[in-house]
Amino acid sequence: MNSIKKFVSNLLKDYFSDQDKKELIDILTLSLEEKVEDLIESGTPKEEAIKLSLQEFGSAEDILEAFPDKTKNRKRLLHTRKSQLLFSGLAYLLICGIAIFVNLTFLDFFGGILWLFVVVIGVLFWPLVMLYLFLTSKE
Amino acid sequence: MISSDVIRGHVDTIILKLLLEKEMYGYEIASVIKERTHNKFNIKEATLYSVVSRLEARELITSYVGEKTHGGKRRYYKVTPLGRAYYKELLEEWKMLREIMFDMLGSDNS
C-alpha cells in the first residue's frame, strides 16, 4: 500500500504548508486504500485495484478545487509579487539613471572615478530578489 | 456531464446532506453520488476526499473508525451539530438560488 502514499505525496509536493500537507496526505491515502480494499473485496485483483484507483483519482488541480480560499489567496499573492517585481524594476532603472547621469555629468568633480558601476551592480539585488520571489510563488 | 464549475459551490451541501442521511466512509460517498446522479455528475475523488478533510478540519463533520458489514475497517464520517446548522443555512441558500433561476428561466423549454 506504500505506492498509494507515494502517489499522493507526489501530487501534493508543491502545495500547502507542511502541517496541512501531512494531514491531507494521510486522509487522501486512507480513503484511497479503503477504495482499493473495497475493490479487492468485490473480486478485483490487488494490482489492478491499485492501478484503477490511482487512475480514477484525479490531479493536483482537483485537490485544489476543494479549497477555493487557498486558490484565491494564491492569486492575490501572485498579483502582489508581480507588482513588487514591476516596482523594483522601475525603481532600479530610475536609481541607475540618476547615478549614471550625476556621475558622468560631474565626472571631473569626482576625480574621474566611475562609481556608477557600484550603484548599478549593487542595487541590482533588489529586482533580483523580487524576481526570485515572483518565480517561486508562481511554481 | 455537467462542468464542475457550475456545481463547485454546492459540493459541501451535497456531502453534508448524504452524511446526514447515513454515516459513510470516503469511497462510499463517491459511489453514492455516482449512483444517484446516474453518472451525470462525476466528482473526482481527489476533490471529494479533500472537501471531506476540509469539513472535518472545520468541525462540521467528525470521523470514527468502524467495521464495514462483511469487510474490514473503514473511517466513517458523521455530521456534528455545527455541521447540521451549517447545512440548514446552505439549504436555504440553495432554495433561494433555485427560486431565482426558476423565476428567470423556469418556463423556457426552447
mmCIF file of all heavy atoms in Angstrom, chain A residues 24 27-28 30-32 34-35 37-39 41 56-59 62-63 65-68, chain B residues 4 8 25-27 44-47 49-51 53-54 56 68 70-72 74-75 77:
data_model
loop_
_atom_site.group_PDB
_atom_site.id
_atom_site.type_symbol
_atom_site.label_atom_id
_atom_site.label_comp_id
_atom_site.label_asym_id
_atom_site.label_seq_id
_atom_site.Cartn_x
_atom_site.Cartn_y
_atom_site.Cartn_z
ATOM 1 N N LEU A 24 -3.512 16.172 4.989
ATOM 2 C CA LEU A 24 -4.216 15.901 3.742
ATOM 3 C C LEU A 24 -3.714 14.611 3.100
ATOM 4 O O LEU A 24 -4.509 13.788 2.627
ATOM 5 C CB LEU A 24 -4.032 17.086 2.790
ATOM 6 C CG LEU A 24 -5.051 17.219 1.669
ATOM 7 C CD1 LEU A 24 -6.464 17.235 2.206
ATOM 8 C CD2 LEU A 24 -4.792 18.491 0.876
ATOM 9 N N ILE A 27 -5.224 11.637 4.970
ATOM 10 C CA ILE A 27 -6.645 11.377 4.740
ATOM 11 C C ILE A 27 -6.895 10.888 3.313
ATOM 12 O O ILE A 27 -7.710 9.980 3.083
ATOM 13 C CB ILE A 27 -7.481 12.635 5.080
ATOM 14 C CG1 ILE A 27 -8.905 12.236 5.423
ATOM 15 C CG2 ILE A 27 -7.499 13.627 3.965
ATOM 16 C CD1 ILE A 27 -9.650 13.326 6.153
ATOM 17 N N LEU A 28 -6.180 11.455 2.348
ATOM 18 C CA LEU A 28 -6.353 11.019 0.963
ATOM 19 C C LEU A 28 -5.852 9.591 0.785
ATOM 20 O O LEU A 28 -6.497 8.773 0.130
ATOM 21 C CB LEU A 28 -5.603 11.953 0.008
ATOM 22 C CG LEU A 28 -6.132 13.383 -0.109
ATOM 23 C CD1 LEU A 28 -5.263 14.203 -1.046
ATOM 24 C CD2 LEU A 28 -7.563 13.398 -0.601
ATOM 25 N N LEU A 30 -5.666 7.275 3.083
ATOM 26 C CA LEU A 30 -6.589 6.369 3.754
ATOM 27 C C LEU A 30 -7.815 6.085 2.878
ATOM 28 O O LEU A 30 -8.212 4.932 2.692
ATOM 29 C CB LEU A 30 -7.026 6.981 5.086
ATOM 30 C CG LEU A 30 -7.880 6.041 5.930
ATOM 31 C CD1 LEU A 30 -6.994 5.122 6.743
ATOM 32 C CD2 LEU A 30 -8.792 6.827 6.852
ATOM 33 N N SER A 31 -8.416 7.146 2.330
ATOM 34 C CA SER A 31 -9.611 6.965 1.512
ATOM 35 C C SER A 31 -9.313 6.110 0.285
ATOM 36 O O SER A 31 -10.118 5.272 -0.111
ATOM 37 C CB SER A 31 -10.169 8.319 1.066
ATOM 38 O OG SER A 31 -10.531 9.086 2.187
ATOM 39 N N LEU A 32 -8.135 6.350 -0.306
ATOM 40 C CA LEU A 32 -7.758 5.548 -1.476
ATOM 41 C C LEU A 32 -7.555 4.087 -1.105
ATOM 42 O O LEU A 32 -7.972 3.182 -1.828
ATOM 43 C CB LEU A 32 -6.479 6.111 -2.088
ATOM 44 C CG LEU A 32 -6.676 7.015 -3.306
ATOM 45 C CD1 LEU A 32 -5.349 7.580 -3.766
ATOM 46 C CD2 LEU A 32 -7.295 6.226 -4.451
ATOM 47 N N GLU A 34 -8.977 2.537 1.288
ATOM 48 C CA GLU A 34 -10.300 1.938 1.531
ATOM 49 C C GLU A 34 -10.977 1.558 0.224
ATOM 50 O O GLU A 34 -11.617 0.515 0.118
ATOM 51 C CB GLU A 34 -11.183 2.923 2.307
ATOM 52 C CG GLU A 34 -10.758 3.065 3.752
ATOM 53 C CD GLU A 34 -11.603 4.061 4.537
ATOM 54 O OE1 GLU A 34 -12.420 4.772 3.918
ATOM 55 O OE2 GLU A 34 -11.432 4.125 5.752
ATOM 56 N N LYS A 35 -10.785 2.420 -0.786
ATOM 57 C CA LYS A 35 -11.371 2.106 -2.090
ATOM 58 C C LYS A 35 -10.740 0.840 -2.666
ATOM 59 O O LYS A 35 -11.441 -0.041 -3.164
ATOM 60 C CB LYS A 35 -11.158 3.274 -3.049
ATOM 61 C CG LYS A 35 -11.583 2.936 -4.465
ATOM 62 C CD LYS A 35 -11.516 4.121 -5.382
ATOM 63 C CE LYS A 35 -11.979 3.717 -6.770
ATOM 64 N NZ LYS A 35 -11.999 4.826 -7.705
ATOM 65 N N GLU A 37 -9.390 -1.566 -1.034
ATOM 66 C CA GLU A 37 -9.906 -2.722 -0.285
ATOM 67 C C GLU A 37 -11.307 -3.095 -0.746
ATOM 68 O O GLU A 37 -11.623 -4.272 -0.907
ATOM 69 C CB GLU A 37 -9.915 -2.416 1.212
ATOM 70 C CG GLU A 37 -8.567 -2.678 1.864
ATOM 71 C CD GLU A 37 -8.541 -2.201 3.307
ATOM 72 O OE1 GLU A 37 -9.544 -2.405 4.022
ATOM 73 O OE2 GLU A 37 -7.528 -1.594 3.708
ATOM 74 N N ASP A 38 -12.149 -2.074 -0.985
ATOM 75 C CA ASP A 38 -13.498 -2.336 -1.483
ATOM 76 C C ASP A 38 -13.450 -3.115 -2.792
ATOM 77 O O ASP A 38 -14.187 -4.079 -2.984
ATOM 78 C CB ASP A 38 -14.247 -1.006 -1.725
ATOM 79 C CG ASP A 38 -15.049 -0.589 -0.501
ATOM 80 O OD1 ASP A 38 -14.705 -1.058 0.602
ATOM 81 O OD2 ASP A 38 -16.003 0.199 -0.653
ATOM 82 N N LEU A 39 -12.576 -2.647 -3.676
ATOM 83 C CA LEU A 39 -12.470 -3.288 -4.990
ATOM 84 C C LEU A 39 -11.971 -4.720 -4.849
ATOM 85 O O LEU A 39 -12.469 -5.636 -5.512
ATOM 86 C CB LEU A 39 -11.526 -2.487 -5.902
ATOM 87 C CG LEU A 39 -12.053 -1.117 -6.365
ATOM 88 C CD1 LEU A 39 -11.004 -0.396 -7.195
ATOM 89 C CD2 LEU A 39 -13.340 -1.266 -7.164
ATOM 90 N N GLU A 41 -12.329 -6.616 -2.217
ATOM 91 C CA GLU A 41 -13.415 -7.405 -1.618
ATOM 92 C C GLU A 41 -14.459 -7.810 -2.655
ATOM 93 O O GLU A 41 -15.087 -8.855 -2.547
ATOM 94 C CB GLU A 41 -14.099 -6.597 -0.496
ATOM 95 C CG GLU A 41 -13.352 -6.694 0.825
ATOM 96 C CD GLU A 41 -13.820 -5.645 1.824
ATOM 97 O OE1 GLU A 41 -14.953 -5.135 1.684
ATOM 98 O OE2 GLU A 41 -13.037 -5.317 2.743
ATOM 99 N N GLU A 56 -8.240 6.736 -11.539
ATOM 100 C CA GLU A 56 -9.503 7.469 -11.403
ATOM 101 C C GLU A 56 -9.414 8.636 -10.427
ATOM 102 O O GLU A 56 -10.319 9.455 -10.363
ATOM 103 C CB GLU A 56 -10.611 6.515 -10.915
ATOM 104 C CG GLU A 56 -11.098 5.540 -11.961
ATOM 105 C CD GLU A 56 -12.144 4.599 -11.388
ATOM 106 O OE1 GLU A 56 -12.296 4.557 -10.153
ATOM 107 O OE2 GLU A 56 -12.802 3.901 -12.182
ATOM 108 N N PHE A 57 -8.322 8.686 -9.672
ATOM 109 C CA PHE A 57 -8.281 9.595 -8.524
ATOM 110 C C PHE A 57 -8.422 11.065 -8.891
ATOM 111 O O PHE A 57 -9.229 11.790 -8.307
ATOM 112 C CB PHE A 57 -6.980 9.382 -7.737
ATOM 113 C CG PHE A 57 -6.892 10.202 -6.500
ATOM 114 C CD1 PHE A 57 -7.758 9.980 -5.454
ATOM 115 C CD2 PHE A 57 -5.948 11.207 -6.374
ATOM 116 C CE1 PHE A 57 -7.687 10.732 -4.294
ATOM 117 C CE2 PHE A 57 -5.863 11.972 -5.221
ATOM 118 C CZ PHE A 57 -6.738 11.732 -4.187
ATOM 119 N N GLY A 58 -7.668 11.508 -9.895
ATOM 120 C CA GLY A 58 -7.710 12.920 -10.261
ATOM 121 C C GLY A 58 -6.350 13.571 -10.064
ATOM 122 O O GLY A 58 -5.401 12.929 -9.641
ATOM 123 N N SER A 59 -6.284 14.884 -10.356
ATOM 124 C CA SER A 59 -4.996 15.574 -10.375
ATOM 125 C C SER A 59 -4.854 16.510 -9.174
ATOM 126 O O SER A 59 -5.758 16.629 -8.359
ATOM 127 C CB SER A 59 -4.906 16.407 -11.648
ATOM 128 O OG SER A 59 -5.935 17.373 -11.622
ATOM 129 N N ASP A 62 -7.564 19.017 -9.051
ATOM 130 C CA ASP A 62 -8.819 18.546 -8.455
ATOM 131 C C ASP A 62 -8.782 18.685 -6.939
ATOM 132 O O ASP A 62 -9.800 18.957 -6.308
ATOM 133 C CB ASP A 62 -9.074 17.081 -8.838
ATOM 134 C CG ASP A 62 -9.371 16.936 -10.330
ATOM 135 O OD1 ASP A 62 -10.131 17.754 -10.847
ATOM 136 O OD2 ASP A 62 -8.825 16.010 -10.958
ATOM 137 N N ILE A 63 -7.603 18.501 -6.351
ATOM 138 C CA ILE A 63 -7.472 18.667 -4.902
ATOM 139 C C ILE A 63 -7.630 20.145 -4.539
ATOM 140 O O ILE A 63 -8.362 20.503 -3.620
ATOM 141 C CB ILE A 63 -6.113 18.132 -4.413
ATOM 142 C CG1 ILE A 63 -6.028 16.627 -4.681
ATOM 143 C CG2 ILE A 63 -5.919 18.424 -2.926
ATOM 144 C CD1 ILE A 63 -4.688 16.017 -4.378
ATOM 145 N N GLU A 65 -9.215 22.352 -6.047
ATOM 146 C CA GLU A 65 -10.593 22.778 -6.254
ATOM 147 C C GLU A 65 -11.404 22.727 -4.960
ATOM 148 O O GLU A 65 -12.357 23.475 -4.783
ATOM 149 C CB GLU A 65 -11.235 21.854 -7.289
ATOM 150 C CG GLU A 65 -12.427 22.452 -7.976
ATOM 151 C CD GLU A 65 -12.766 21.671 -9.224
ATOM 152 O OE1 GLU A 65 -12.079 21.857 -10.234
ATOM 153 O OE2 GLU A 65 -13.713 20.886 -9.158
ATOM 154 N N ALA A 66 -10.995 21.854 -4.056
ATOM 155 C CA ALA A 66 -11.710 21.722 -2.790
ATOM 156 C C ALA A 66 -11.395 22.864 -1.822
ATOM 157 O O ALA A 66 -12.028 22.999 -0.791
ATOM 158 C CB ALA A 66 -11.357 20.388 -2.133
ATOM 159 N N PHE A 67 -10.395 23.687 -2.162
ATOM 160 C CA PHE A 67 -10.008 24.780 -1.267
ATOM 161 C C PHE A 67 -10.070 26.111 -1.996
ATOM 162 O O PHE A 67 -9.033 26.678 -2.343
ATOM 163 C CB PHE A 67 -8.579 24.548 -0.737
ATOM 164 C CG PHE A 67 -8.425 23.246 -0.013
ATOM 165 C CD1 PHE A 67 -8.010 22.119 -0.694
ATOM 166 C CD2 PHE A 67 -8.718 23.141 1.334
ATOM 167 C CE1 PHE A 67 -7.879 20.900 -0.040
ATOM 168 C CE2 PHE A 67 -8.587 21.940 1.997
ATOM 169 C CZ PHE A 67 -8.171 20.814 1.310
ATOM 170 N N PRO A 68 -11.288 26.612 -2.259
ATOM 171 C CA PRO A 68 -11.413 27.855 -3.025
ATOM 172 C C PRO A 68 -10.684 29.031 -2.375
ATOM 173 O O PRO A 68 -10.131 29.874 -3.086
ATOM 174 C CB PRO A 68 -12.923 28.103 -3.080
ATOM 175 C CG PRO A 68 -13.523 27.200 -2.072
ATOM 176 C CD PRO A 68 -12.578 26.078 -1.841
ATOM 177 N N SER B 4 -17.675 21.059 -13.717
ATOM 178 C CA SER B 4 -17.510 21.138 -12.260
ATOM 179 C C SER B 4 -17.636 22.581 -11.749
ATOM 180 O O SER B 4 -17.932 22.803 -10.587
ATOM 181 C CB SER B 4 -16.168 20.546 -11.844
ATOM 182 O OG SER B 4 -15.119 21.252 -12.450
ATOM 183 N N ARG B 8 -19.542 23.518 -8.228
ATOM 184 C CA ARG B 8 -18.456 23.585 -7.242
ATOM 185 C C ARG B 8 -18.911 24.109 -5.874
ATOM 186 O O ARG B 8 -18.580 23.552 -4.845
ATOM 187 C CB ARG B 8 -17.318 24.447 -7.774
ATOM 188 C CG ARG B 8 -16.107 24.457 -6.879
ATOM 189 C CD ARG B 8 -15.002 25.292 -7.467
ATOM 190 N NE ARG B 8 -14.527 24.726 -8.715
ATOM 191 C CZ ARG B 8 -13.922 25.434 -9.661
ATOM 192 N NH1 ARG B 8 -13.768 26.717 -9.528
ATOM 193 N NH2 ARG B 8 -13.499 24.838 -10.750
ATOM 194 N N TYR B 25 -18.222 6.111 4.720
ATOM 195 C CA TYR B 25 -16.780 6.330 4.545
ATOM 196 C C TYR B 25 -16.539 6.936 3.167
ATOM 197 O O TYR B 25 -17.434 6.959 2.329
ATOM 198 C CB TYR B 25 -15.980 5.046 4.767
ATOM 199 C CG TYR B 25 -16.342 3.882 3.879
ATOM 200 C CD1 TYR B 25 -15.654 3.648 2.695
ATOM 201 C CD2 TYR B 25 -17.356 3.007 4.238
ATOM 202 C CE1 TYR B 25 -15.980 2.572 1.875
ATOM 203 C CE2 TYR B 25 -17.680 1.939 3.432
ATOM 204 C CZ TYR B 25 -16.990 1.718 2.244
ATOM 205 O OH TYR B 25 -17.319 0.662 1.443
ATOM 206 N N GLY B 26 -15.313 7.434 2.972
ATOM 207 C CA GLY B 26 -14.994 8.229 1.784
ATOM 208 C C GLY B 26 -15.469 7.658 0.455
ATOM 209 O O GLY B 26 -16.228 8.295 -0.267
ATOM 210 N N TYR B 27 -15.025 6.450 0.156
ATOM 211 C CA TYR B 27 -15.345 5.889 -1.154
ATOM 212 C C TYR B 27 -16.839 5.605 -1.289
ATOM 213 O O TYR B 27 -17.398 5.672 -2.378
ATOM 214 C CB TYR B 27 -14.529 4.611 -1.384
ATOM 215 C CG TYR B 27 -14.812 3.958 -2.713
ATOM 216 C CD1 TYR B 27 -14.712 4.696 -3.891
ATOM 217 C CD2 TYR B 27 -15.187 2.618 -2.806
ATOM 218 C CE1 TYR B 27 -14.981 4.119 -5.121
ATOM 219 C CE2 TYR B 27 -15.460 2.039 -4.026
ATOM 220 C CZ TYR B 27 -15.351 2.790 -5.180
ATOM 221 O OH TYR B 27 -15.622 2.211 -6.395
ATOM 222 N N LYS B 44 -14.472 14.165 -9.016
ATOM 223 C CA LYS B 44 -13.187 13.474 -8.861
ATOM 224 C C LYS B 44 -13.016 13.117 -7.391
ATOM 225 O O LYS B 44 -13.314 13.923 -6.501
ATOM 226 C CB LYS B 44 -12.055 14.394 -9.297
ATOM 227 C CG LYS B 44 -11.901 14.478 -10.796
ATOM 228 C CD LYS B 44 -11.263 13.217 -11.337
ATOM 229 C CE LYS B 44 -11.191 13.265 -12.857
ATOM 230 N NZ LYS B 44 -10.958 11.938 -13.424
ATOM 231 N N GLU B 45 -12.521 11.912 -7.146
ATOM 232 C CA GLU B 45 -12.320 11.516 -5.752
ATOM 233 C C GLU B 45 -11.307 12.425 -5.055
ATOM 234 O O GLU B 45 -11.407 12.676 -3.854
ATOM 235 C CB GLU B 45 -11.873 10.065 -5.687
ATOM 236 C CG GLU B 45 -13.051 9.114 -5.834
ATOM 237 C CD GLU B 45 -12.618 7.709 -6.163
ATOM 238 O OE1 GLU B 45 -11.878 7.124 -5.367
ATOM 239 O OE2 GLU B 45 -13.024 7.205 -7.224
ATOM 240 N N ALA B 46 -10.339 12.927 -5.830
ATOM 241 C CA ALA B 46 -9.354 13.853 -5.256
ATOM 242 C C ALA B 46 -10.064 15.058 -4.636
ATOM 243 O O ALA B 46 -9.749 15.491 -3.534
ATOM 244 C CB ALA B 46 -8.371 14.312 -6.329
ATOM 245 N N THR B 47 -11.054 15.592 -5.351
ATOM 246 C CA THR B 47 -11.811 16.737 -4.849
ATOM 247 C C THR B 47 -12.658 16.332 -3.648
ATOM 248 O O THR B 47 -12.651 16.995 -2.610
ATOM 249 C CB THR B 47 -12.747 17.292 -5.946
ATOM 250 O OG1 THR B 47 -12.023 17.428 -7.158
ATOM 251 C CG2 THR B 47 -13.333 18.622 -5.537
ATOM 252 N N TYR B 49 -12.513 13.779 -1.426
ATOM 253 C CA TYR B 49 -11.830 13.493 -0.167
ATOM 254 C C TYR B 49 -11.233 14.757 0.437
ATOM 255 O O TYR B 49 -11.163 14.905 1.658
ATOM 256 C CB TYR B 49 -10.728 12.445 -0.375
ATOM 257 C CG TYR B 49 -11.217 11.125 -0.940
ATOM 258 C CD1 TYR B 49 -10.396 10.327 -1.718
ATOM 259 C CD2 TYR B 49 -12.516 10.690 -0.706
ATOM 260 C CE1 TYR B 49 -10.842 9.117 -2.253
ATOM 261 C CE2 TYR B 49 -12.975 9.499 -1.235
ATOM 262 C CZ TYR B 49 -12.134 8.721 -2.012
ATOM 263 O OH TYR B 49 -12.581 7.542 -2.540
ATOM 264 N N SER B 50 -10.801 15.683 -0.444
ATOM 265 C CA SER B 50 -10.230 16.932 0.073
ATOM 266 C C SER B 50 -11.309 17.790 0.725
ATOM 267 O O SER B 50 -11.075 18.416 1.762
ATOM 268 C CB SER B 50 -9.566 17.714 -1.050
ATOM 269 O OG SER B 50 -8.617 16.927 -1.696
ATOM 270 N N VAL B 51 -12.494 17.806 0.115
ATOM 271 C CA VAL B 51 -13.596 18.556 0.724
ATOM 272 C C VAL B 51 -13.944 17.932 2.078
ATOM 273 O O VAL B 51 -14.145 18.648 3.066
ATOM 274 C CB VAL B 51 -14.847 18.574 -0.195
ATOM 275 C CG1 VAL B 51 -16.032 19.165 0.532
ATOM 276 C CG2 VAL B 51 -14.566 19.361 -1.455
ATOM 277 N N SER B 53 -11.985 16.358 4.076
ATOM 278 C CA SER B 53 -10.968 16.716 5.082
ATOM 279 C C SER B 53 -11.128 18.164 5.523
ATOM 280 O O SER B 53 -10.905 18.506 6.682
ATOM 281 C CB SER B 53 -9.566 16.462 4.535
ATOM 282 O OG SER B 53 -9.052 17.588 3.889
ATOM 283 N N ARG B 54 -11.553 19.024 4.590
ATOM 284 C CA ARG B 54 -11.777 20.429 4.953
ATOM 285 C C ARG B 54 -12.966 20.559 5.904
ATOM 286 O O ARG B 54 -12.924 21.302 6.886
ATOM 287 C CB ARG B 54 -12.018 21.254 3.679
ATOM 288 C CG ARG B 54 -12.287 22.709 3.933
ATOM 289 C CD ARG B 54 -12.123 23.556 2.686
ATOM 290 N NE ARG B 54 -12.911 23.127 1.549
ATOM 291 C CZ ARG B 54 -14.230 23.314 1.445
ATOM 292 N NH1 ARG B 54 -14.888 23.919 2.400
ATOM 293 N NH2 ARG B 54 -14.881 22.897 0.378
ATOM 294 N N GLU B 56 -13.987 18.324 7.939
ATOM 295 C CA GLU B 56 -13.590 17.783 9.240
ATOM 296 C C GLU B 56 -12.739 18.799 10.001
ATOM 297 O O GLU B 56 -12.901 18.972 11.208
ATOM 298 C CB GLU B 56 -12.843 16.463 9.084
ATOM 299 C CG GLU B 56 -12.707 15.743 10.410
ATOM 300 C CD GLU B 56 -11.968 14.417 10.307
ATOM 301 O OE1 GLU B 56 -11.336 14.154 9.265
ATOM 302 O OE2 GLU B 56 -12.016 13.653 11.290
ATOM 303 N N LYS B 68 -16.988 -2.300 8.626
ATOM 304 C CA LYS B 68 -17.901 -2.373 7.492
ATOM 305 C C LYS B 68 -18.600 -3.733 7.543
ATOM 306 O O LYS B 68 -17.997 -4.723 7.957
ATOM 307 C CB LYS B 68 -17.070 -2.270 6.214
ATOM 308 C CG LYS B 68 -17.850 -2.161 4.954
ATOM 309 C CD LYS B 68 -16.885 -2.242 3.778
ATOM 310 C CE LYS B 68 -17.645 -2.538 2.517
ATOM 311 N NZ LYS B 68 -16.770 -3.122 1.510
ATOM 312 N N HIS B 70 -19.468 -7.152 6.379
ATOM 313 C CA HIS B 70 -18.697 -8.065 5.523
ATOM 314 C C HIS B 70 -17.439 -7.397 5.013
ATOM 315 O O HIS B 70 -17.217 -7.315 3.817
ATOM 316 C CB HIS B 70 -19.512 -8.540 4.309
ATOM 317 C CG HIS B 70 -20.931 -8.861 4.632
ATOM 318 N ND1 HIS B 70 -21.253 -9.903 5.471
ATOM 319 C CD2 HIS B 70 -22.095 -8.283 4.250
ATOM 320 C CE1 HIS B 70 -22.578 -9.949 5.579
ATOM 321 N NE2 HIS B 70 -23.108 -8.979 4.857
ATOM 322 N N GLY B 71 -16.633 -6.868 5.874
ATOM 323 C CA GLY B 71 -15.392 -6.268 5.375
ATOM 324 C C GLY B 71 -14.537 -5.731 6.491
ATOM 325 O O GLY B 71 -14.831 -5.911 7.673
ATOM 326 N N GLY B 72 -13.492 -5.036 6.092
ATOM 327 C CA GLY B 72 -12.516 -4.541 7.060
ATOM 328 C C GLY B 72 -12.954 -3.252 7.715
ATOM 329 O O GLY B 72 -14.115 -2.867 7.679
ATOM 330 N N ARG B 74 -13.220 0.782 8.284
ATOM 331 C CA ARG B 74 -13.332 1.976 7.445
ATOM 332 C C ARG B 74 -13.450 3.196 8.350
ATOM 333 O O ARG B 74 -13.953 3.096 9.478
ATOM 334 C CB ARG B 74 -14.595 1.917 6.562
ATOM 335 C CG ARG B 74 -14.610 0.808 5.551
ATOM 336 C CD ARG B 74 -13.641 1.061 4.422
ATOM 337 N NE ARG B 74 -13.717 0.036 3.390
ATOM 338 C CZ ARG B 74 -13.017 -1.097 3.407
ATOM 339 N NH1 ARG B 74 -12.201 -1.353 4.420
ATOM 340 N NH2 ARG B 74 -13.122 -1.973 2.429
ATOM 341 N N ARG B 75 -12.994 4.358 7.830
ATOM 342 C CA ARG B 75 -13.154 5.599 8.595
ATOM 343 C C ARG B 75 -14.484 6.233 8.200
ATOM 344 O O ARG B 75 -14.620 6.753 7.079
ATOM 345 C CB ARG B 75 -11.999 6.557 8.328
ATOM 346 C CG ARG B 75 -12.118 7.872 9.082
ATOM 347 C CD ARG B 75 -10.857 8.678 8.999
ATOM 348 N NE ARG B 75 -9.803 8.088 9.816
ATOM 349 C CZ ARG B 75 -9.583 8.412 11.095
ATOM 350 N NH1 ARG B 75 -10.310 9.344 11.678
ATOM 351 N NH2 ARG B 75 -8.628 7.833 11.776
ATOM 352 N N TYR B 77 -17.689 8.922 8.534
ATOM 353 C CA TYR B 77 -17.894 10.330 8.858
ATOM 354 C C TYR B 77 -19.332 10.564 9.276
ATOM 355 O O TYR B 77 -20.253 9.967 8.719
ATOM 356 C CB TYR B 77 -17.571 11.205 7.644
ATOM 357 C CG TYR B 77 -16.129 11.135 7.257
ATOM 358 C CD1 TYR B 77 -15.704 10.266 6.260
ATOM 359 C CD2 TYR B 77 -15.175 11.896 7.923
ATOM 360 C CE1 TYR B 77 -14.364 10.170 5.922
ATOM 361 C CE2 TYR B 77 -13.833 11.806 7.597
ATOM 362 C CZ TYR B 77 -13.447 10.946 6.596
ATOM 363 O OH TYR B 77 -12.122 10.849 6.277
#
